[in-house]
Structures are given as structure tokens and as C-alpha cells.
Amino acid sequence: MIELKKVSKSFGSTQVLQPTNLRLTPGETTVLIGPSGCGKSTILRLMIGLIEPDDGEVLFDGTPLTPANVKLIRREIGYVIQDGGLFPHLSAQDNVGLLARYLGWEKPRVVARVEEMADLTRLPREALARYPSQLSGGQRQRLGIMRALMLDPAVILLDEPMGALDPLVRFDLQEDLRKIFVSLKKTVCIVTHDMGEAGFFGDRVILLGSGRIVQQGKLDDLIRSPADDFVRRFINAQRLPTVETQGVL
Amino acid sequence: MNHASFAARLASRLACILLIATCARLAPSQETKPPRVRVGSKSYTESVILGEMLTLLASAAGARAEHRAELGGTQIAYSSLKKGEIDAYPEYTGTLTMEILGDQQVQTDEDIAAALARNGIKMSRRLGFNNSYALGMRRALADELKIAKISDLKQHPGSNARSGAARSRLKFGFSDEFMNREDGWPGLSVAYGLSDYARGLDHNLAYAGIRSGTIHVTDVYTTDPEIAAYEMKPLEDDLRYFPQYDCVLLYRADLDQRAPQVVANWLRLEGAIDEPTMIKLNARSRIDRVFEGRVAGEFLNGTLGMKVTIPPDDRWRRVLVNLAINTRQHLMLVCVSLLAAIVVAVPLGILAYRLPPARQLILGGVGILQTLPSMAVLMFLLPLLGLGAWPTIAALFLYSLLPIVRNTFAGLNEIPANLRESATVLGLGPRARLWLVELPMASRSILSGIKTAAVINVGTATIGGLIGAGGYGQPIITGTRLNDITIIMQGAIPAALMALAVQGLFELAERFVVPKGLRIAAGKST
């Protein structure tokens, strides 16, 4: 399991993360939420070793991440970014199967597993032969998720996975994703700035501000008893659709 | 079947084949086969005409004669003779003493003969003409100024063409080679006490300059037909400054046994060609544009009273044969240099991408190489690599580096950061990322760099003609020398067509090299 112990990070003179402790709960979905620049993406990138902490350490199943072991640890973590991060030169099938093929899986096994993932994420099988530029945004994101799940990792990290999708596509994908996470009992960490999405996915919601954890718990707790004014303002900043009924009839 | 028995069977079959082949080779030699004689010549008209004479004389003596014309300069012709690639070629005494045997302090003909004998080469007696350097000016102007000898020029000091000081001053313009040879203008101006205002220009342009009056005095070869054609007067070398360039034949000593009749026929040329005759022969070829074989044949039949068959002017066949040879050589220059450049430049581009501290050094370094003039690079490489194809290939290799390195770097560098991270977080190591993601994604850019290099190479490879590398540069150089645009076209047009073909070939190659997904994506974005 992934754990941050007193991890801090600065870029130049800007401290983007103050010393922070954080542990993902196995089998649960943790949501990191907060305004831009609050440090939520930095935490995700620290977890997968894209950046190294200035202080403290990042542990995976109790082992600190080092340059020597990070490559192998990454293979046990699924990572999804906005728009899928697919390679344009590979077909959908090859994008999902790239690492498995590299690790020496036989082709029939790769194909079978990719098709299984396509069914799971409800991607039409005929889309597997196409290239990323021939697919819709929603299909690309489903492929990104398939790629993350391909080797059946225990942990899935998602960095604003729905950010580029239109509302209808996003709605469907959110439904599908939650079912997948719950049915596969994955340990999940999602970065978002959308309160609705945070409440929909999060067993636990962590609200960050200015590089530190401001409040964490169920979304209901955050809404009912905000820890401070920042939490209250962040929650109230979410606009819900209102319907003007007066004068219509 | 085990390996040992397989090897034994293979060996016995090979032995059979060899035996049959050997018998087939030996069989015809039992009857007396006509000797094979290869004649060479350098890349100018006079040498080619004399080479044709030697070829016709050898044929008349019953040999199977072959003329390997236009071998380039002295170094190539002489080393070909030494190695036995040719059996004979015409040479000049001055060239022998000053250039070929320049380091051996030879003076007399006996010295020369002895030095040549050490290399298995014999020299004929003189053919009768001296093709030396001379200074020439328009006859009308020389007569008007009463100039007959070089020392008369002292009364008319040269002027820098740009200064245009006094109208009465003569403008000196010399061929680049003459300007720089120790025995050319630098030595001449000292020996005669002439002011050293002179400018260098191409030898063929010098005649045009004389005609238009841009220059008044230039260097000429005494057998140049242009001297008469342009109404010029060669000035007497009254201090005997220029060495004698008496024409002789050089041939391999073993010919005396191998083809004595051929040698006997050749030696009939001794003392048979005087200066006016050689000038006329050169004029027939260069001014009347008669095929060298016909000029040679008519001379042999007319003056020597022989009955050689005058070869037909198979100009078109020669054009086609030369085209085939030049194409093969040109392709060789381009392909070898390009392949070497790919092998070096792609890794350099990757290094520049992966190793930011080395980036400026690599990109800057290959950039500087590109700014060097091609002639300078070629001349710098000459002493290192000798004449022929290698210095040309090396120069082309250097010029190919920049487009390939730059495009490899650019193609890798423009991969979006999120895709690079995608490959990293998948758990691919640096090498796997390079081969599976980065290079395929940069393939279009890399290929386009290679295409640029190839197209530039096809054009630049023509400089190889200057140093005997062959290729399409050969007819361009020859045509420039003869002032014959049709010969220049025989190099320029195929070179342009080859550049277009290379361009087309690479566009075709893109379908196989660039992954389909990238081509689809590019098609959509345009």
C-alpha cells in the first residue's frame, strides 16, 4: 500500500507540499480535492515516483521508493491521466497490451486480457483495432483505464481522469468506473476539483489547500462541519444547477 | 546428417566446381590469344587524343585494346599505371621531374628512366611537342605595345584589376593553379622582376576575359588551340623560366614481352608530332568538336601513312555508358556517406535529447560543420584520405550529420510531456521507452532529416568530380573545362533527377517506416 511519511516538496522557492502524512486505505477510494496549485497532483506524482520528495519518504507496501526499485513498483500501480495519455503510433489494442508484450506475455494471452478489459470498461471490441486519433474522448479515457488495469495492479491512481470529457460521457464513465473499483476491490486514489465527483467516488475525501491537508473524512462531514473558513468557501463555490420556475407556467 | 559429413560434401562439391572453372579458364590460353592492352589518359583533350592514338595503334598491332579515358589528374593516371590497372598513358617530362619524381632530384632523361624502371615503367623518346606554360596576350595589343618577350612586360607593370589606376597598365589574370604553383606566377614574377598585381580565375574563363578585354595577360598552355582561335600571341620565355613539358609515353616494361608489336607501333609516334600539329589536333577536337577517336585516326592514317580503322563517333553510346558509370558511382558516394551518417547521427541526436549538458555541444558542433565551405572541407580531407571516393564520402558524411542529428533531437524533444510520463509510469525503463515509444513517435521527423541529408548529398556529391571520385560531378567538371554546356548537362540533369527520385523514394518509405497511427493522426490534423 502507498504511504507518504512527512513528505514535503518545493519547486524552486515555492513550497507546493508541506510535510504531509497520508496513507491510502486498502480497498477504498481516496479522493484528493482542492483548488489549483493546492498540491493534489504533486501527491499523486510523488506516489508513482515521477518526482522525488525533498524530505520524508514514500513507501509502497512498506518499502521506500528508490530510483533502483521505482520501475518495478510502477508495474504494480495503474496510473490514469487526463485524455488517457495514449501513444498515437499504437493501435488501441497495442496501447493497452504494450507493457504485457514487453514483459513477454504470449500474444493470445495479451489479446484475451485486452478483450476482457474492453468488456469490463464497456469499450466496443471493434474500437481495439483503431488508433487513438480515430477514437472519441470517452473511448480514449476508457482505454487509459484498461491500460492501467491490464496487469491487475492493487492500486490505481487517477489524475483528473474526467477533466476533458463532456457531461454525458463523464456521467456514464463515472458510473462504470465506480462499479469496476468496487467489484475489483482496488485501492484507488483520484485527483479532482469537482465536489460532485469527489462525493460520488470517495470513501474518504481529503481537501487540500496551500500544500497541506486542511480537512479529511466523508464528504458529508466536510459539508456539515467544515474545519475552517477555507473549507466552507470551497464547498460553497460549487454551483448546482438552479431552475427558475416562476413565470414559466 | 551431422555437421562433419555435411561439410565434407560441401567441400567436395566446391572442389569440383573450382576444377571445372579452372579448366574452362585454361583451355583458350593454349592457342595464342591476342594480348590485352589498357590505355589510360588524363582528363583533358590532348591526353584523350593521344590515348586514342595508342589504342588504335595497339589494335592495329593485333591487341585487344581498351581506352580508359579521362582518369582525372596526374596522381590517378600514374598510380593506375604503377598498379598495372592501365598499361600506358601519355605524360610530360616537366610533370615527371617536378611532380611524379619531384622528391628524387632527377635531371636528365637517364635519371628519369632509371627512376621509372624501379617501378617497372619505361619511357619513350619525346613525341616532338612541348606543352609548356607560357604567357599570352592578344596579338593586336602585344604588337601595339611592342611586347614579344616576357621581359618586355616590365615596361608595362601589372595593375590590380580593381584599382584601375592608369589606363595604360596591363591587367594580369591567371588560372588559379598557376597563381599558386611555386613554378607559376609567384616564381615567375620574381624571376622577371614583375610587379605581383594579378588575380586568379578559372582557366576556361581566362580566354573569355582576354576576348572581352577584362584581362590582358594570362597563362596558356603552348598547345592550346585557343591561342590561335582567340588571336593570341604567346610571349617568348627569354629567361627560360618555364621547364620543358615534352610529351613522352609511359608504359609498363612487361609489355616488351607481352605485346612487343604494340610497343613497336607506339614508338612510331616518337618525334612524329610537332607543336603546330598538336595544336591542330587539339583544335579539331575542341573547336571543331570532332570526336577524339576520329582526330587520332585521321592523324595516324594521314601523317604516319597507316591504315587504322577510324572508329565511328558513337557519341550516344558513350553518353549512355558514361551515364551508367556515373550513376553507379554517384549512388555509391551518396549511399555510403548517408548510411555512415545515419549510424552516427541518430545516436548523437538521441544523446542530445537524453543528456541536456551535451546538447549544446552536439547541436552546435554539427552546426559548425555545416557552415564550412564544401571545397575547403574537401581540400582539408585530401591529405588525410588521398584522392578518389573516400574524401568525398567523408565530406558528404560530415554534411549529412546536421539534418539527421537536428531532426532526431527535434522529433524526440517534441513528444508531449504527458506521453513521456505515460511511458515512464507504465514501468518501462529508459531503453524500452526509447525503442517502443520515443523513436517510433519521432520516426517521421528522423526520416525527414535523412531525406534532407540524402537530397543535399546528391547535389553536393558533384564536388567529387574535382578529385576523381567520379559520379555526376565528372561531366560537370569536364564540361566546364571544355566550355561545353551539353556535357555539363550530362551531369546536371541526372543529378537533379536523382534528387527528385530520392525525394520520391523517401515519401514512399514513409509508409513503411512511420507507424500507421501517426500517419492517420497527421492526416486528421491537416
Side-chain angles (χ1 to χ4, degrees), chain B residues 373-427:
Chain B
S374 54
M375 278 300 289
V377 170
L378 204 58
M379 293 310 145
F380 175 73
L381 290 169
L382 270 184
L384 299 175
L385 297 169
L387 284 169
W390 286 113
T392 313
I393 288 171
L396 295 178
F397 162 80
L398 293 176
Y399 285 117
S400 301
L401 291 178
L402 177 67
I404 303 177
V405 169
R406 199 180 44 196
N407 273 39
T408 303
F409 170 73
L412 292 169
N413 205 40
E414 71 193 11
I415 295 173
N418 67 333
L419 294 188
R420 261 181 270 163
E421 284 187 356
S422 266
T424 308
V425 296
L426 266 184

Side-chain angles (χ1 to χ4, degrees), chain A residues 186-219:
Chain A
K186 297 290 181 198
T187 306
V188 179
C189 183
I190 303 179
V191 163
T192 182
H193 51 247
D194 182 295
M195 282 293 265
E197 194 165 276
F200 180 75
F201 281 109
D203 297 309
R204 177 167 57 136
V205 175
I206 299 177
L207 177 62
L208 292 124
S210 310
R212 63 183 184 88
I213 296 175
V214 182
Q215 189 174 1
Q216 55 179 310
K218 297 262 179 212
L219 183 66

Side-chain angles (χ1 to χ4, degrees), chain A residues 45 75 85-86 89 99 131 133, chain B residues 419 421-422 426-427 436 524:
Chain A
R45 293 163 70 79
R75 293 179 189 166
L86 301 175
H89 64 292
L99 183 61
Y131 288 89
S133 61
Chain B
L419 294 188
E421 284 187 356
S422 266
L426 266 184
L436 297 176
K524 273 193 151 186

Side-chain angles (χ1 to χ4, degrees), chain B residues 491-510:
Chain B
I493 291 174
L497 291 178
M498 185 182 277
L500 287 174
V502 165
Q503 182 113 14
L505 210 66
F506 271 92
E507 264 142 44
L508 205 68
E510 210 180 83

Side-chain angles (χ1 to χ4, degrees), chain A:
Chain A
M1 207 37 48
I2 301 182
E3 185 174 2
L4 269 59
K5 271 189 178 169
K6 290 184 188 159
V7 167
S8 64
K9 182 73 189 172
S10 298
F11 292 121
S13 59
T14 318
Q15 188 165 39
V16 289
L17 194 63
Q18 297 177 23
T20 299
N21 290 311
L22 173 63
R23 188 171 183 277
L24 298 184
T25 318
E28 282 194 357
T29 298
T30 305
V31 174
L32 302 178
I33 192 168
S36 293
C38 69
K40 55 190 192 296
S41 283
T42 302
I43 290 176
L44 218 58
R45 293 163 70 79
L46 283 161
M47 285 178 172
I48 193 101
L50 276 176
I51 49 178
E52 289 178 36
D54 297 340
D55 261 314
E57 53 186 9
V58 181
L59 305 172
F60 182 84
D61 281 346
T63 312
L65 256 63
T66 65
N69 66 16
V70 69
K71 187 171 82 178
L72 294 177
I73 286 175
R74 280 172 184 150
R75 293 179 189 166
E76 298 182 41
I77 302 173
Y79 193 86
V80 181
I81 61 170
Q82 198 171 315
D83 205 34
L86 301 175
F87 304 124
H89 64 292
L90 297 176
S91 68
Q93 161 83 42
D94 292 342
N95 258 289
V96 177
L98 181 67
L99 183 61
R101 288 290 284 158
Y102 175 69
L103 295 178
W105 288 27
E106 294 297 325
K107 188 143 195 204
R109 186 180 167 206
V110 175
V111 171
R113 175 70 179 163
V114 171
E115 286 177 350
E116 189 189 333
M117 290 297 100
D119 296 347
L120 183 71
T121 57
R122 299 203 304 124
L123 181 84
R125 283 198 182 182
E126 60 267 23
L128 288 176
R130 297 200 199 117
Y131 288 89
S133 61
Q134 298 171 308
L135 299 170
S136 71
Q139 287 173 326
R140 283 203 288 269
Q141 199 51 278
R142 282 172 203 274
L143 276 167
I145 291 154
M146 285 166 65
R147 187 169 66 183
L149 291 170
M150 181 71 189
L151 296 189
D152 198 22
V155 184
I156 312 280
L157 308 178
L158 302 97
D159 193 355
E160 305 205 23
M162 317 288 173
L165 302 178
D166 72 56
L168 289 175
V169 174
R170 175 166 27 178
F171 188 83
D172 284 346
L173 190 58
Q174 285 169 340
E175 291 284 343
D176 290 343
L177 264 185
R178 189 167 70 166
K179 274 182 216 154
I180 291 168
F181 294 157
V182 170
S183 67
L184 299 181
K185 296 193 176 56
K186 297 290 181 198
T187 306
V188 179
C189 183
I190 303 179
V191 163
T192 182
H193 51 247
D194 182 295
M195 282 293 265
E197 194 165 276
F200 180 75
F201 281 109
D203 297 309
R204 177 167 57 136
V205 175
I206 299 177
L207 177 62
L208 292 124
S210 310
R212 63 183 184 88
I213 296 175
V214 182
Q215 189 174 1
Q216 55 179 310
K218 297 262 179 212
L219 183 66
D220 282 359
D221 301 339
L222 269 67
I223 294 171
R224 292 217 180 91
S225 45
D228 61 13
D229 198 44
F230 168 75
V231 181
R232 194 173 297 115
R233 276 196 297 128
F234 187 80
I235 290 167
N236 287 337
Q238 305 287 325
R239 197 181 297 282
L240 291 171
T242 52
V243 181
E244 283 292 334
T245 52
Q246 290 172 356
V248 170
L249 292 173

